């Protein structure tokens, strides 16, 4: 067997194969549900129902999708320029820490001034965390996969230290938990009475902004050129290292917004479990979206839907929620396979 | 053409291999005798490596057959080639870095997971081989820690350990220092003295004349000459290698003007086996084509990178229009109105997955009208691409076509249009017609001449001597990073240029 590159894949191939990948995910998930002793299609129905079946469920899914849109965008932006940012988790926590530091009463500003300030400061902190590995990469050729991945643990331990020390809530009964944000530092709800905050709106705006940057600006052109062929980019006079640095700033900032949005919009305070791996899941989201910023929104809704739906499915059908993790893993593997098969044809001999 | 009556060990019979429209090997036949070194000579892309990959079973030939020791060799089967006694040392080594020398040599001949696997016996045999062939390597050293020369010795030992009777060395000296090359030649002489036969692939002429008994020359996939090394010389070989099929375009008298680029005693670092520049002096004048002849890998890449802005001189001075350069970079070169046609249009000149529009503005995107304050103006870019497409006859479905779908000639025309539309002061053309068909080739040459007549200083770097003599108003020859003096068109014969290319004129001149 060998692989033969396809010069110009047809549209049916480029759209059909990812669709097939999703269909394959459904089939495999059904088989697994059967093994777990449930009716296969009822399980899928329960997941769908649990994710989008009611207003409450839909809002829950949108809330869950919000941080995934941010981290998915962060990863998509970086991967597009071949900057392998595996550290969205760390950047998310940096954003969350800054939100708590500035939002628990240190600044008594009105909401309209305080929220943008916190968001910008959070982005800056996330950007700085990614800047260090990027600098090591451009300057010394250090592999950023390793450094960004390991920084996740460093930052998480540092946050843990903060929550046991300076950021610990004195009223928290000893739990490692920060004080609550003041009301001015909370992202308001989009519609009164509905549990959906403006973080979701900010995520949608971010996706649109990233799309515009990539398609319409010189920076986006540079990022795509560097990602596709750094040697040709350098020859043509594109500042490759500066482009990578700018990409890192954007990517780190987007991931940090996930932390800002979770603390300010949803939780109101910082705990160590604020992210159940949103940074890592962002990689899956970005890959499922084929690194397209608008696709990230769709992929994040898909992934969030599976997680939220699996929770309620588990309660109703008695199938473990781990099915959600398996579905995501299968979806990712099949999507990667589909991407490869859009670019290559398998030939025998 | 047997010169002695030694038995024939290898016979290639009308080997033909096509890759799409390209015929890499066109009915090539020759014979190898026991105890001789045949040099297989040819430019990049002449088909040497393809031919050896067929012999070793990596490729299946479309036509023709291979016979080893009188037995036909089944095509496309490396194991059969190994068992028949053919051993190959590739240009890029195939060793496991994390294993010892001994394990690498034995790998594939004995199951390594068995404790001991006859280590002692293997060690004894390798020791004998080392002694017999004058190959010294520490058997217990990890391959990852070895120098390139040592790794090559391990590769040769690997072949000998498998009882190879025919050794194929694919450009073995490309990665060696002169001292290591001498050692390799000593090993090769011992090997032939012990009755082995060697095929030595190279395009370094002095090495070919030093070690081989016969020479086979390939050009564009064809066997164009076969001779006893004693009956020929480096200059003649150079001529055979580069051939004489470039049709001379109508060259009008040049009208040289101001000095646009000058190099004074410029030295750049060596890069691996390829030499950098060694105290090079060079002047490029407006309205003149300066041709740079030389065998591949003698410092041309360093010169192109220097003028193109990718590297700065390590010592010496580079002046553009009489001003010394500071902060030299690709952007600075573009700002100095230097148009660059890179050697590798696929890897360096274009971005395969960008469309024609995006590729057309690759060097210009940062300035108006293509962008303002960081915002791209795609309409202006598309118009520019459309201009190039019609003005330079780029055959394509439209500016939205991804450039990977274009033929090499059309890709080159786009690059040509991209750089010439800016009416540059200097044109750096590095192998501008390599791999192009005759139509595209003539077109590129006409455009270079037109640029000259508009007053540009053109530097034409080519491994094709006839291209240089046909187009250039003055000619330099580069060899081992050293630059010959300037020769006027027609001042030297091809044979005399060949002598310079072989690196022989410099000592007298210096």
């Amino acid at each position: 067997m060998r692989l033969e590159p396809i010069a110009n894949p047809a549209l049916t191939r480029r759209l059909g194969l990812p669709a097939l990948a999703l269909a394959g995910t459904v089939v495999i998930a059904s088989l697994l549900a059967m093994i777990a002793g449930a009716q296969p299609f009822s399980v899928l129905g329960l997941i769908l129902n649990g994710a989008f079946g009611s207003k409450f469920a839909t809002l829950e899914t949108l809330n869950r999708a919000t941080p995934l849109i941010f981290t998915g965008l962060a990863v998509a932006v970086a991967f597009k320029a071949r900057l392998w940012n595996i550290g969205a988790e760390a950047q998310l926590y940096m954003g969350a820490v800054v939100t708590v530091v500035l939002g628990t009463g240190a600044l008594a500003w009105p909401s309209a001034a305080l929220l943008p300030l916190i968001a910008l400061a959070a982005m800056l902190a996330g950007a700085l965390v990614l800047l260090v590995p990027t600098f090591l990469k451009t300057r010394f050729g250090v592999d950023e996969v390793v450094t960004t991945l390991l920084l996740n643990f460093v930052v998480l331990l540092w946050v843990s230290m903060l929550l046991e020390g300076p950021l610990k809530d004195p009223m928290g009964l000893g739990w490692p938990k920060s004080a609550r944000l003041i009301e001015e530092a909370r992202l308001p709800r989009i519609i009164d009475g509905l549990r959906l905050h403006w973080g979701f709106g900010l995520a949608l705006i971010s996706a649109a902004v990233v799309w515009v940057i990539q398609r319409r600006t010189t920076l986006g052109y540079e990022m795509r050129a560097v990602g596709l062929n750094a040697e040709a980019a350098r020859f043509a006079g594109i500042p490759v290292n500066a482009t990578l640095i700018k990409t890192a700033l954007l990517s780190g900032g987007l991931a940090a917004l996930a932390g800002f949005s979770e603390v300010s919009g949803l939780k109101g305070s910082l705990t160590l479990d604020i992210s159940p791996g949103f940074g890592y899941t962002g990689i899956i989201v970005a890959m499922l979206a084929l690194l397209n910023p608008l696709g990230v929104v769709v992929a994040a809704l898909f992934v969030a839907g599976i997680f939220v739906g699996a929770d309620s499915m588990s309660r109703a059908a008695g199938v473990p929620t781990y099915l959600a993790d398996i579905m995501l893993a299968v979806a990712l593997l099949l999507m990667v396979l589909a991407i490869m098969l859009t670019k290559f044809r398998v030939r025998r001999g | 053409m047997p010169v002695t009556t030694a038995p024939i060990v290898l016979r290639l019979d009308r080997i033909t291999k096509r890759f799409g429209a390209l015929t890499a090997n066109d009915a090539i036949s020759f014979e190898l005798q026991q105890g001789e070194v045949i040099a297989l000579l040819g430019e990049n892309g002449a088909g040497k490596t393809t031919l050896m990959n067929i012999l070793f079973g990596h490729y299946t030939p479309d036509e023709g057959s291979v016979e080893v020791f009188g037995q036909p060799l089944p095509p496309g089967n490396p194991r059969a080639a190994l068992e028949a006694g053919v051993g190959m040392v590739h240009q890029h080594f195939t060793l496991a870095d994390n294993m010892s020398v001994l394990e690498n040599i034995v790998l594939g001949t004995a199951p390594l997971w068995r404790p001991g696997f006859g280590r002692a016996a293997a060690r004894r045999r390798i020791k004998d081989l080392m002694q017999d062939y004058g190959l010294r390597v520490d058997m217990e050293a990890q391959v990852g820690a070895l120098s390139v020369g040592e790794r090559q010795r391990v590769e040769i030992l690997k072949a000998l350990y498998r009882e190879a009777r025919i050794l194929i060395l694919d450009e073995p000296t490309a990665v060696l220092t002169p001292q290591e090359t001498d050692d390799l030649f000593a090993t090769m002489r011992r090997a032939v003295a012990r009755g082995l036969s060697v095929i030595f692939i190279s395009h370094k002429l002095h090495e070919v004349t030093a070690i081989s008994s016969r020479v086979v020359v390939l050009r564009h996939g064809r066997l164009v000459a076969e001779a006893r090394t004693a009956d020929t010389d480096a200059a003649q070989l150079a001529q055979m290698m580069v051939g004489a099929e470039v049709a001379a375009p109508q060259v009008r008298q040049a009208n040289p003007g101001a000095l646009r680029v000058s190099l004074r005693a410029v030295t750049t670092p060596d890069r691996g086996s390829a030499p950098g520049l060694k105290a090079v002096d060079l002047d490029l004048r407006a309205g003149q084509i300066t041709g740079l002849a030389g065998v591949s890998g003698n410092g041309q890449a360093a010169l192109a990178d220097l003028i193109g802005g990718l590297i700065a001189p390590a010592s010496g001075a580079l002046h553009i229009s009489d001003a010394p350069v500071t902060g030299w970079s690709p952007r600075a070169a573009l700002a100095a109105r230097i148009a660059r046609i890179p050697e590798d249009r696929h890897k360096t000149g274009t971005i395969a997955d960008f469309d024609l529009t995006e590729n057309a503005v690759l060097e210009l995107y940062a300035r108006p009208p293509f962008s303002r304050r960081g915002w791209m103006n795609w309409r202006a870019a598309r118009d520019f691409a459309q201009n190039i497409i019609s003005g330079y006859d780029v055959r394509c479905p439209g500016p939205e076509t991804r450039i990977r779908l274009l033929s090499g000639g059309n890709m080159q025309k786009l690059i040509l249009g991209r750089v010439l539309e800016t009416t540059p002061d200097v044109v750096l053309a590095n192998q501008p017609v390599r791999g192009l068909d005759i139509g595209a080739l003539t077109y590129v040459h006409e455009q270079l001449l037109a640029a000259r007549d508009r007053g540009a200083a053109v530097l034409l770097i080519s491994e094709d001597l006839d291209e240089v003599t046909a187009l250039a108003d003055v000619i330099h020859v580069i060899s081992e990073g050293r630059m010959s003096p300037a020769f006027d068109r027609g001042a030297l014969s091809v044979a005399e240029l060949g002598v310079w290319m072989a690196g022989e004129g410099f000592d007298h001149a210096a």
Side-chain angles (χ1 to χ4, degrees), chain A residues 6-9 212 215-219 221-222 224-226 228-229 231-239, chain B residues 310 330-331 334 340 342 346-348 350-351 353-354 358 361-363 365 371 374-376 378 402 404-405:
Chain A
I6 303 173
N8 202 16
V212 169
R215 290 281 138 196
R216 294 273 180 266
T217 69
T218 49
L219 173 62
Y221 178 75
E222 289 166 341
R224 289 186 295 129
V226 168
L228 286 172
N229 183 343
E231 187 188 329
R234 191 171 102 83
F235 178 82
I238 293 175
Chain B
L310 286 116
R331 272 218 177 149
L334 289 167
R340 302 151 322 142
H346 300 273
K347 267 203 209 138
T348 328
T350 57
I351 294 180
D353 283 315
F354 267 6
E358 289 167 318
V361 297
L362 208 51
E363 292 174 337
Y365 74 94
S371 70
W375 291 91
M376 294 296 297
W378 286 116
R402 285 191 307 152
R404 75 157 68 241
L405 301 175

Side-chain angles (χ1 to χ4, degrees), chain A residues 46 51 60 339:
Chain A
L46 285 171
E60 187 59 29
I339 294 169

Side-chain angles (χ1 to χ4, degrees), chain B residues 297-315:
Chain B
N298 272 285
Q300 292 98 326
L303 181 66
D305 282 357
L306 178 77
I307 296 177
L310 286 116
I311 57 172
S315 68

Side-chain angles (χ1 to χ4, degrees), chain B residues 250-466:
Chain B
Q250 287 298 313
V251 180
R252 294 162 297 273
Q253 189 58 43
N255 187 14
L259 189 59
R260 286 277 166 75
V261 177
S262 80
L263 280 70
R264 288 290 168 267
V266 168
T267 296
T268 64
D270 294 347
R271 23 175 95 176
S273 63
L277 301 178
K278 308 263 184 274
V280 162
D281 292 331
L282 180 69
D283 288 337
L284 304 181
R285 290 187 175 281
Q288 193 176 51
I289 295 184
T290 305
L292 185 68
V295 177
S296 166
N298 272 285
Q300 292 98 326
L303 181 66
D305 282 357
L306 178 77
I307 296 177
L310 286 116
I311 57 172
S315 68
L318 169 64
H319 289 248
I320 308 288
S321 301
D322 284 334
V325 300
T326 48
W328 198 226
S329 69
R331 272 218 177 149
L334 289 167
R337 307 179 56 75
I338 297 177
R340 302 151 322 142
I341 301 169
E343 179 177 12
D344 189 332
R345 49 185 164 266
H346 300 273
K347 267 203 209 138
T348 328
T350 57
I351 294 180
D353 283 315
F354 267 6
D355 66 21
L356 263 67
T357 303
E358 289 167 318
N359 271 299
V361 297
L362 208 51
E363 292 174 337
L364 307 167
Y365 74 94
R367 54 177 98 154
F370 305 116
S371 70
R372 282 200 177 84
R373 294 167 194 229
W375 291 91
M376 294 296 297
N377 181 349
W378 286 116
R379 182 168 302 171
R382 198 151 30 242
D383 289 349
F384 180 65
Q386 192 62 57
N387 258 345
I388 295 174
I389 290 169
S390 41
Y392 292 80
D393 189 29
V394 183
R395 311 258 166 88
C396 66
E400 298 81 23
T401 316
R402 285 191 307 152
I403 204 156
R404 75 157 68 241
L405 301 175
L406 265 56
S407 71
N410 284 314
M411 215 182 269
Q412 194 71 327
K413 284 178 185 172
L414 182 91
I415 294 175
L416 207 59
R418 173 173 90 194
V419 301
L420 293 182
E421 276 298 289
T422 59
T423 54
D425 289 344
V426 180
V427 176
L428 166 66
N430 191 0
Q431 311 283 358
V433 299
R434 179 189 277 172
L436 298 191
D437 62 49
I438 198 81
L441 175 151
T442 313
Y443 185 82
V444 170
H445 284 168
E446 280 166 3
Q447 289 293 327
L448 290 180
L449 280 168
R452 179 200 78 171
D453 293 341
R454 277 199 304 269
V458 180
L459 174 62
L460 171 66
I461 302 177
S462 175
E463 286 155 21
D464 188 329
L465 193 51
D466 291 292

Side-chain angles (χ1 to χ4, degrees), chain B residues 128-302:
Chain B
D128 288 345
L129 287 174
M130 287 190 184
Q131 225 137 49
D132 292 347
Y133 293 90
L135 292 158
R136 266 174 301 102
V137 201
D138 175 6
M139 259 189 272
E140 294 308 322
Q142 281 230 332
V143 163
L146 298 183
S147 73
V148 176
E150 289 172 315
R151 283 175 208 219
Q152 187 175 70
R153 276 176 250 157
V154 177
E155 283 278 14
I156 296 173
L157 280 169
K158 231 169 91 178
L160 295 172
Y161 189 83
R162 284 160 180 71
E163 294 176 352
R165 305 295 300 155
I166 300 168
L167 264 184
I168 304 169
L169 306 174
D170 190 2
E171 308 224 2
T173 59
V175 294
L176 298 183
T177 63
Q179 173 58 31
E180 286 172 328
T181 301
D182 290 343
D183 291 346
L184 173 69
F185 284 1
T187 298
M188 283 164 70
R189 289 197 185 94
R190 287 194 195 205
V192 293
R194 298 181 76 85
L196 269 68
S197 311
V198 179
I199 298 180
F200 172 67
I201 303 176
S202 179
H203 54 222
K204 293 190 182 163
L205 302 168
H206 60 276
E207 292 172 355
V208 168
T209 49
I211 188 74
S212 70
S213 46
R214 278 197 301 144
V215 189
V216 169
V217 184
L218 299 188
R219 191 168 72 228
H220 300 328
R222 289 227 176 90
L223 193 157
V224 291
E226 192 177 353
R228 277 171 28 138
T229 312
D231 297 342
T232 177
D233 59 41
Q236 225 177 355
L237 289 173
Q239 211 177 331
M240 287 194 246
M241 229 164 98
V242 295
E245 68 280 276
V246 178
Q250 287 298 313
V251 180
R252 294 162 297 273
Q253 189 58 43
N255 187 14
L259 189 59
R260 286 277 166 75
V261 177
S262 80
L263 280 70
R264 288 290 168 267
V266 168
T267 296
T268 64
D270 294 347
R271 23 175 95 176
S273 63
L277 301 178
K278 308 263 184 274
V280 162
D281 292 331
L282 180 69
D283 288 337
L284 304 181
R285 290 187 175 281
Q288 193 176 51
I289 295 184
T290 305
L292 185 68
V295 177
S296 166
N298 272 285
Q300 292 98 326

